[in-house]
Amino acid sequence: MKITGFEFNLFGVNTYVTWDPESREAAVVDPGMSNKSENETLDRFISEYGLKVTHLLFTHLHIDHTLGAEHVMERYGVRPEANDADAFLGQQRDMQSSMFHLRVSPGPLEIDNIIREGDVIKFGNDELAVLLVPGHSPGSVVFWNSRERFVITGDVLFNGSIGRTDLPGGNHALLVEGIRQKLMALPEDTTVYPGHGPATTIWRELRSNPFIR
């Protein structure tokens, strides 16, 4: 499985496209596009690589990670996949937008396919496993690919940091526990692709992340 990231919107959200190189089946993860230019950047990449988008995945449903949801849904005919514990956040996107002083009113985002701990999302001959790691939001999930040793963590784990827990549904103790029990148990050579900022590895976070040592 291949993966490429893009940084979108004023929050610097990392949107990922991951795909099976044989079938060209692909997923868009956390579509953060906020304008026409960013939409075109994503579309150009998908077109140039001849990808067929079959999944629209969300690590969680905070507004910055969902701004481009409607574009992906309309252009590629896919429906949102997320954990149902974040359903209330999808319903509150306008409220979230107002809280962060954004000049957009995207309306509610409905989860069409609920993904849970232990689910496996298939792309042709490859797959992503779902791990539930709540705390940043109640339904935060990460996507783990064992063959290529990478994990897409959203706002659960960053390079040298962890997600904030002061937003609705946040829980610091629960987040740290989940990171220690699930993410730090992954192979140390696993690449971590976070929701913001540069990539890191499990090895590095085990040894240097001050929030989980």
Side-chain angles (χ1 to χ4, degrees):
M1 182 172 282
K2 303 293 186 180
I3 183 169
T4 295
F6 304 87
E7 185 178 300
F8 291 136
N9 72 49
L10 58 86
F11 295 97
V13 165
N14 291 330
T15 293
Y16 295 102
V17 177
T18 181
W19 72 97
D20 169 39
E22 293 184 12
S23 68
R24 297 287 170 175
E25 291 185 1
V28 176
V29 183
D30 289 352
M33 306 87 70
S34 61
N35 54 52
K36 181 179 178 182
S37 176
E38 291 180 343
N39 289 341
E40 290 175 347
T41 295
L42 180 73
D43 294 340
R44 189 179 307 114
F45 177 84
I46 291 170
S47 176
E48 287 178 355
Y49 278 79
L51 304 181
K52 178 184 178 182
V53 178
T54 58
H55 294 279
L56 173 56
L57 305 177
F58 295 90
T59 60
H60 64 297
L61 295 183
H62 284 150
I63 182 67
D64 52 331
H65 291 253
T66 71
L67 285 169
E70 282 72 20
H71 175 77
V72 177
M73 291 161 62
E74 293 169 6
R75 185 173 182 91
Y76 300 105
V78 288
R79 301 294 300 169
E81 302 177 49
N83 185 266
D84 56 348
D86 268 14
F88 77 101
L89 292 173
Q91 294 295 317
Q92 296 175 355
R93 284 205 301 169
D94 285 352
M95 185 180 74
Q96 293 184 62
S97 179
S98 177
M99 180 173 68
F100 288 107
H101 307 289
L102 304 180
R103 297 180 180 179
V104 295
S105 298
L109 180 67
E110 302 283 347
I111 301 172
D112 189 67
N113 183 21
I114 296 171
I115 53 179
R116 300 181 174 89
E117 171 84 19
D119 284 353
V120 175
I121 300 165
K122 294 187 179 297
F123 301 73
N125 297 315
D126 221 322
E127 60 190 34
L128 293 172
V130 178
L131 302 176
L132 179 65
V133 189
H136 175 66
S137 74
S140 287
V141 299
V142 305
F143 301 107
W144 155 241
N145 181 267
S146 59
R147 181 183 296 180
E148 300 298 331
R149 297 280 180 92
F150 71 78
V151 61
I152 302 171
T153 59
D155 289 1
V156 168
L157 179 67
F158 301 124
N159 187 327
S161 189
I162 62 174
R164 61 187 294 183
T165 55
D166 59 336
L167 297 173
N171 185 313
H172 180 82
L174 192 61
L175 177 60
V176 172
E177 178 185 12
I179 293 171
R180 287 174 174 166
Q181 291 186 355
K182 296 182 180 179
L183 294 185
M184 295 303 104
L186 297 177
E188 292 190 6
D189 61 348
T190 297
T191 300
V192 176
Y193 292 107
H196 303 267
T200 182
T201 64
I202 295 297
W203 184 92
R204 177 173 178 170
E205 299 313 304
L206 273 168
R207 287 159 178 79
S208 63
N209 193 310
F211 296 94
I212 57 175
R213 294 182 68 186

